[in-house]
Amino acid sequence: MAPLNSWEVIEPANYFKSFVDQSSRPDGRDWNTARPISVRVGSIGTAEGSATVRLGNTTIVCGVKAELCRPSLEHPTRGFVVPNVELYPCCSSTFKASLYNAGPPGEKAISTSQFLQRLLQNNEIIDYEQLCVVPNKWAWCLYCDILCLDYDGNLIDSSLLSLVAALLHLSLPTVNIDPDTEALSLSQKHTQKLTIKVLMLKLIDRL
């Protein structure tokens, strides 16, 4: 998290205008220079898939846990991907703490989670049917916990990058079903990777 400039806090409009007049940014970049990006997968050993993304001074980690569930009646051959963004005061003073950090997520965390959900569903980034195990009976539900460790802007871009990288790293176990009892068992000998159908990520460089 970059330290706040007192001028930025007191007069934010004039602060940013001074950089516009110089055709530069507060971190020293010019208009056409993107923030540096680094991606590391496998950062959480207990998750089925994980990734850590650093975009400028913003650091996001995403861990994916897979659970078997019942498909919805509306889409009996599709599974679920549930992104959940968490923003704690330790990553930025922008996010104020409630008593003992209790209570529901903040508005920015909720809106970012909802945006990622819509983005996955509306842009065919992932084919949800590959998460189906048995139509009308069993499907994978992927819980994607996205935690901001250090916040300095670009929340949506960095969260999306970490989510997609974690899904690409994801390995789903083989599901075996007993034909007599219909009992389920999981095998790690043969795992399944997800296919990302469309990956068109336009990085929007924000201050």
Side-chain angles (χ1 to χ4, degrees):
M1 178 176 60
L4 290 178
N5 184 294
S6 57
W7 185 19
E8 177 184 358
V9 175
I10 298 172
E11 296 182 335
N14 290 331
Y15 173 78
F16 288 109
K17 184 179 182 301
S18 68
F19 290 99
V20 172
D21 294 339
Q22 300 173 31
S23 298
S24 65
R25 300 172 185 265
D27 59 6
R29 291 176 296 135
D30 58 33
W31 293 126
N32 298 319
T33 303
R35 300 181 189 224
I37 303 173
S38 66
V39 180
R40 180 167 61 94
V41 298
S43 47
I44 304 177
T46 55
E48 277 75 32
S50 62
T52 300
V53 167
R54 184 173 177 84
L55 182 55
N57 291 322
T58 295
T59 304
I60 303 284
V61 61
C62 176
V64 182
K65 292 298 291 181
E67 293 184 5
L68 288 170
C69 65
R70 300 288 183 180
S72 67
L73 295 177
E74 184 180 1
H75 300 290
T77 61
R78 300 179 61 180
F80 305 91
V81 179
V82 184
N84 177 50
V85 177
E86 298 181 8
L87 302 171
Y88 294 117
C90 61
C91 72
S92 173
S93 58
T94 304
F95 312 114
K96 296 181 179 179
S98 57
L99 185 61
Y100 305 114
N101 289 327
E107 181 179 346
K108 192 174 186 66
I110 293 174
S111 62
T112 304
S113 300
Q114 293 173 341
F115 177 82
L116 294 176
Q117 181 79 69
R118 293 194 303 270
L119 193 65
L120 290 175
Q121 293 175 344
N122 298 335
N123 291 275
E124 297 184 345
I125 292 178
I126 181 174
D127 180 4
Y128 285 81
E129 292 196 354
Q130 63 186 310
L131 297 175
C132 179
V133 178
V134 180
N136 286 305
K137 289 188 176 181
W138 296 107
W140 287 108
C141 181
L142 306 181
Y143 294 99
C144 307
D145 292 321
I146 302 168
L147 176 62
C148 182
L149 302 179
D150 204 353
Y151 176 75
D152 191 36
N154 285 93
L155 177 63
I156 291 178
D157 298 334
S158 51
S159 296
L160 178 59
L161 279 173
S162 68
L163 173 59
V164 172
L167 290 175
L168 286 170
H169 176 252
L170 175 74
S171 292
L172 292 174
T174 301
V175 181
N176 300 311
I177 304 177
D178 189 291
D180 298 323
T181 64
E182 295 189 351
L184 302 179
S185 62
L186 303 179
S187 172
Q188 297 290 347
K189 291 184 178 180
H190 302 285
T191 58
Q192 172 192 354
K193 288 285 190 179
L194 293 184
T195 299
I196 303 298
K197 294 177 61 178
V198 177
L199 185 55
M200 299 177 63
L201 303 181
K202 181 179 179 182
L203 295 180
I204 304 172
D205 196 25
R206 301 184 181 89
L207 287 173

